[in-house]
Amino acid sequence: ASDRRSTDAVIGLLGSRLLEHGLERRFAQVRALARRQQWNTAARLAEEVTSAEWQPRYSSEVVRLNLELREFDHAEDALQKEIELDGLTGERALTLGEIAWQRQQPDLAREHWQRSLAIEPFG
């Protein structure tokens, strides 16, 4: 039985590495599409990748792509998912402020920006 557990552990480790490598490769495709300003295709692929398995480093790119597309609802949804799973940071509060500003909600934008300063004071 102990031999089986170590085999399962190795298979699990290799499986997670392969999954991560696959995600890295697919997100490299997303970055290439974004550099060519194929925003819609990049955003769709990014959402497919992150819906398969949430990864903080990829999720922030999904937020940025959706902001570029002016898809504020999608950007905010992805950002709220980041906050729910990984916590509020100063950068995330700044981005919430950016979304509010783009939606022409200056009071809400200021509120988010002030929160970001309280979390991570600059200067």
Side-chain angles (χ1 to χ4, degrees), residues 41-90:
T41 307
R44 271 196 310 276
L45 180 57
E47 287 179 9
E48 284 177 25
V49 173
T50 56
S51 68
E53 182 171 317
W54 185 80
Q55 298 278 331
R57 64 183 182 256
Y58 301 142
S59 183
S60 59
E61 291 189 48
V62 171
V63 171
R64 284 280 149 219
L65 285 169
N66 280 302
L67 286 174
E68 192 70 39
L69 290 168
R70 303 185 60 76
E71 295 284 345
F72 302 120
D73 290 340
H74 292 295
E76 188 172 20
D77 288 346
L79 189 56
Q80 290 296 348
K81 184 176 181 180
E82 275 188 42
I83 292 167
E84 179 184 312
L85 295 171
D86 205 34
L88 182 65
T89 64

Side-chain angles (χ1 to χ4, degrees), residues 3 6 9 17 20 32 34 41 56 66 70 72 79 81 84-87 91 94 97 109-111 116 120 123:
D3 288 345
S6 61
R17 294 287 189 238
E20 187 174 307
T41 307
N66 280 302
R70 303 185 60 76
F72 302 120
L79 189 56
K81 184 176 181 180
E84 179 184 312
L85 295 171
D86 205 34
E91 182 179 347
L94 281 172
R110 271 191 288 285
E111 184 181 313
S116 76
E120 296 178 25

